[in-house]
Amino acid sequence: MGPELAGKIHIYVGSDDTYFLNNAVYRMEDFLNSTKNPPYGGEVVYGRAAEHCWNGDPTLPNAYSRLHYNTMYLPRFWSKSRRPRPRERT
């Protein structure tokens, strides 16, 4: 499963998550950093003093940044989905 997930895991969490989910993300990040074949190649970003639902935009308060998930992530999704795929062998 590792090769299929390489470069596709992107985690954004507030360092002060309301439900303490940041604690689980610390453990997940440790695991992801330990993968070698292949390395996970994604990113884990912590919003300084950000609460639950922080979406990775450090320029806006959480109350505003959570309103524009689509404008942040759709361009990334489309750029990756338009890459040519290798042909299947028959």
Side-chain angles (χ1 to χ4, degrees):
M1 180 188 285
E4 290 82 17
L5 293 176
K8 296 179 182 175
I9 298 174
H10 306 275
I11 302 172
Y12 306 97
V13 66
S15 64
D16 293 341
D17 187 88
T18 313
Y19 303 105
F20 306 103
L21 298 176
N22 54 309
N23 295 330
V25 173
Y26 296 135
R27 294 183 71 187
M28 181 65 161
E29 182 181 26
D30 289 342
F31 167 74
L32 292 171
N33 287 331
S34 74
T35 61
K36 302 293 182 228
N37 189 20
Y40 87 100
E43 64 182 334
V44 178
V45 180
Y46 298 92
R48 185 174 171 265
E51 58 193 21
H52 190 69
C53 290
W54 184 71
N55 72 354
D57 184 352
T59 64
L60 293 172
N62 196 31
Y64 297 109
S65 67
R66 70 172 68 169
L67 299 176
H68 63 89
Y69 287 118
N70 293 341
T71 60
M72 291 182 67
Y73 300 115
L74 282 178
R76 181 183 292 185
F77 169 78
W78 288 120
S79 70
K80 290 184 181 215
S81 67
R82 291 181 181 161
R83 284 190 220 156
R85 297 176 184 248
R87 290 186 175 183
E88 291 185 26
R89 296 181 184 182
T90 55

